[in-house]
Amino acid sequence: MSLSKSEFLNYILELLSDQDAISARAMFGGYGIYKYGQIFALIIHDELYFKVDDSNRDYFINAGSEPFSYERNGKKYYMSYYNAPSEIYDDPDLLNSLVEGSYQISLKAAVRALK
């Protein structure tokens, strides 16, 4: 997809327009995507990444998705976000399912962080 950063963000927000309380904030040279103020996805370099854990990681791996990674001081770091499979752009039900799953994972992680 060859869109500018803001065009891709707007495209994703349009796809998510039937979801409640979706917002975006600039971060790390990209955007965090939030539902009810809880981050559940990232947009980095024209790529959408969903929050994952053991409950959904296999789905993303089997779909050919890769984890978001970055390098710092010559070392590669991986985050618990995997890029979205291309099918989500044509399948609103799949998109909504992934949003809800990643949102729930993010909520669980936030509760664990408070303990």
Side-chain angles (χ1 to χ4, degrees):
M1 192 166 290
S2 182
L3 301 174
S4 74
K5 225 183 344 182
S6 62
E7 288 174 323
F8 187 73
L9 171 65
N10 290 335
Y11 172 67
I12 295 301
L13 292 176
E14 178 63 29
L15 287 177
L16 299 175
S17 64
D18 64 338
Q19 293 276 331
D20 291 334
I22 297 293
S23 61
R25 290 185 224 152
M27 61 186 302
F28 308 125
Y31 298 93
I33 308 298
Y34 298 79
K35 183 171 181 170
Y36 293 108
Q38 185 66 43
I39 190 167
F40 70 91
L42 303 172
I43 294 176
I44 307 287
H45 305 297
D46 253 6
E47 191 79 42
L48 177 63
Y49 293 85
F50 284 106
K51 180 90 170 145
V52 302
D53 69 5
D54 290 342
S55 70
N56 67 348
R57 185 176 292 107
D58 285 345
Y59 167 79
F60 284 93
I61 291 170
N62 291 332
S65 298
E66 299 282 331
F68 174 71
S69 65
Y70 63 95
E71 278 193 40
R72 184 181 309 159
N73 298 326
K75 185 174 178 184
K76 196 166 197 173
Y77 295 89
Y78 295 91
M79 294 181 65
S80 59
Y81 289 84
Y82 275 65
N83 63 323
S86 60
E87 301 85 50
I88 64 127
Y89 300 107
D90 298 317
D91 187 342
D93 292 334
L94 176 59
L95 174 62
N96 290 332
S97 174
L98 294 179
V99 166
E100 187 57 30
S102 291
Y103 172 65
Q104 292 300 321
I105 288 166
S106 188
L107 286 175
K108 286 188 271 186
V111 168
R112 279 192 307 272
L114 292 175
K115 292 182 178 181

